[in-house]
């Protein structure tokens, strides 16, 4: 038997008990949380938080979840949750009694989740099969993704990680692979990234959304500089000389910049660069800029 499999258990007798409770057919592969990782306090905290969130959300529908593995695998709770959170009308029966019906139901639900969250197939950390077989890791990944999308202010514990063991029953015996998976984001990694990560994500994954974002930002800018009789039509070109940026900062922060401190009609790239540097200095001094920006 694979040594890594044996090392996942503190007592030899636990191996037999584990295999008795988790039957893995020939040629089948399953992923489990290592028994040595299952008592992680942060993991328990996350599970309780998600259960409470689901029960609060579905309180009026008299649905009570007690176990994420046992109560979500057939799609019933997920169906109600998505309809409640996203007003999604899913073309499936509320109750699926057979495994075939449950698989069909989960397929529709998970397809709706991927579409709603705008996730590509390669980004999914769950599948119909993993949810149906009560894979806790996959179920947690799914619920965390749904919660982050529909309830972004839900205070999930950061850095929740689990040690997993993937077991495959081959003709030569049990083959295993160990891994560490983050269920919630690594706070240290998040803090190390600059705030423009959201825009990097936008550029790489959803370039079709850029025009919509530009329109929102343009509306925001004109709401404020419009009070000065100005109108911005193109963020890229009209922000290049730093003038609009300086005036916008002044409007937002409630002060007027003395005209002798910047060039209102810059005539050279040096004067434009002076304006932009001044704007960045003002933002930094006001504690509004905590990441590096190249003024050029």
């Amino acid at each position: 038997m694979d040594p890594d499999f044996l090392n996942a258990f503190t007592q030899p007798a636990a191996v037999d008990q584990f295999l008795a409770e988790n039957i893995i057919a020939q040629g089948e592969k399953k992923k489990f949380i290592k028994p040595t990782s299952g008592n992680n306090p942060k993991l328990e905290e996350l599970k309780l938080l998600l259960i409470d969130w689901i029960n609060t959300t579905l309180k009026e529908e008299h649905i009570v979840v007690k176990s994420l593995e046992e109560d979500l695998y057939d799609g019933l709770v997920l169906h109600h949750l998505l309809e409640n959170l996203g007003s999604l009308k899913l073309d499936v029966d509320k109750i699926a009694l057979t495994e075939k019906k449950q698989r069909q139901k989960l397929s529709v639900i998970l397809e709706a989740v991927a579409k709603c969250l705008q996730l590509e197939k390669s980004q999914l950390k769950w599948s119909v099969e993993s949810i149906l077989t009560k894979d806790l890791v996959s179920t947690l990944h799914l619920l965390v993704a749904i919660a982050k999308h529909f309830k972004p202010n839900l205070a999930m514990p950061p850095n929740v990680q689990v040690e997993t063991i993937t077991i495959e029953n081959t003709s030569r015996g049990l083959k295993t692979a160990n891994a560490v998976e983050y269920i919630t984001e690594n706070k240290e990694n998040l803090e190390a990234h600059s705030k423009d990560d959201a825009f990097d994500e936008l550029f790489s994954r959803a370039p079709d959304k850029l025009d919509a974002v530009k329109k929102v930002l343009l509306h925001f800018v004109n709401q404020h500089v419009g009070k000065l009789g100005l109108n911005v039509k193109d963020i890229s070109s009209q922000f290049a000389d730093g003038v609009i940026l300086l005036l916008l900062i002044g409007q937002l922060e409630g002060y007027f910049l003395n005209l002798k401190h910047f060039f209102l009609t810059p005539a050279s790239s040096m004067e434009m660069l002076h304006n932009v540097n001044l704007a960045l200095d003002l933002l930094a001094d006001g504690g509004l800029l905590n990441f590096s920006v190249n003024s050029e």
Side-chain angles (χ1 to χ4, degrees), residues 190-218:
L190 285 177
E191 290 174 350
H193 283 71
S194 67
K195 286 189 177 180
D196 62 354
D197 279 350
F199 286 92
D200 289 341
E201 192 90 353
L202 192 65
F203 277 103
S204 63
R205 294 189 181 181
D208 56 310
K209 304 293 181 187
L210 283 176
D211 286 339
V213 173
K214 285 181 181 178
K215 286 178 182 177
V216 172
L217 292 175
L218 202 58

Side-chain angles (χ1 to χ4, degrees), residues 260-287:
K260 70 179 182 180
H261 291 147
F262 72 103
F263 299 95
L264 188 61
T265 55
S268 68
S269 58
M270 289 298 293
E271 291 178 352
M272 293 166 65
L273 194 59
H274 169 86
N275 286 349
V276 174
N277 278 320
L278 175 60
L280 296 178
D281 288 343
L282 289 171
L283 290 171
D285 290 344

Side-chain angles (χ1 to χ4, degrees), residues 36-228:
T36 50
S37 181
N39 296 324
N40 182 341
K42 279 193 171 184
L43 178 63
E44 289 304 311
E45 182 186 350
L46 178 63
K47 288 166 66 177
L48 290 173
L49 177 77
L50 291 171
I51 288 172
D52 182 66
W53 168 60
I54 294 170
N55 288 338
T56 301
T57 304
L58 302 179
K59 184 178 180 179
E60 292 185 4
E61 298 180 49
H62 307 290
I63 291 177
V64 178
V65 170
K66 294 182 180 180
S67 165
L68 296 180
E69 305 99 301
E70 297 297 330
D71 295 340
L72 273 81
Y73 78 94
D74 61 0
L76 175 64
V77 173
L78 289 171
H79 189 170
H80 281 274
L81 192 62
L82 288 174
E83 286 196 338
N84 187 290
L85 293 170
S87 300
L88 300 175
K89 295 300 177 185
L90 303 173
D91 188 21
V92 287
D93 296 332
K94 287 287 185 184
I95 299 176
L97 298 176
T98 66
E99 185 177 318
K100 182 180 179 181
K101 290 282 187 181
Q102 289 167 358
R103 186 173 272 103
Q104 290 172 343
K105 182 182 178 74
L106 280 172
S107 180
V108 172
I109 290 171
L110 297 185
E111 187 177 335
V113 170
K115 186 176 181 180
C116 188
L117 274 57
Q118 297 182 334
L119 296 173
E120 299 293 333
K121 191 173 181 180
S122 60
Q123 296 173 275
L124 302 180
K125 296 179 180 179
W126 55 83
S127 66
V128 171
E129 202 60 38
S130 64
I131 300 299
L132 191 62
T133 55
K134 306 178 185 180
D135 180 339
L136 178 59
V137 177
S138 296
T139 303
L140 287 171
H141 277 308
L142 174 62
L143 289 174
V144 167
I146 293 172
K148 282 172 61 180
H149 181 80
F150 291 107
K151 191 76 172 178
N153 61 339
L154 189 65
M156 287 185 281
N159 306 345
V160 177
Q161 57 176 306
V162 293
E163 292 180 87
T164 63
I165 181 166
T166 302
I167 306 171
E168 184 179 5
N169 191 350
T170 70
S171 57
R172 295 184 178 182
L174 295 176
K175 181 182 177 182
T176 65
N178 296 311
V180 175
E181 289 191 39
Y182 275 96
I183 306 297
T184 59
E185 291 164 317
N186 186 333
K187 194 174 182 180
E188 292 176 1
N189 287 347
L190 285 177
E191 290 174 350
H193 283 71
S194 67
K195 286 189 177 180
D196 62 354
D197 279 350
F199 286 92
D200 289 341
E201 192 90 353
L202 192 65
F203 277 103
S204 63
R205 294 189 181 181
D208 56 310
K209 304 293 181 187
L210 283 176
D211 286 339
V213 173
K214 285 181 181 178
K215 286 178 182 177
V216 172
L217 292 175
L218 202 58
H219 177 70
F220 166 76
V221 170
N222 283 322
Q223 268 188 317
H224 297 282
V225 299
K227 299 169 186 175
L228 302 174

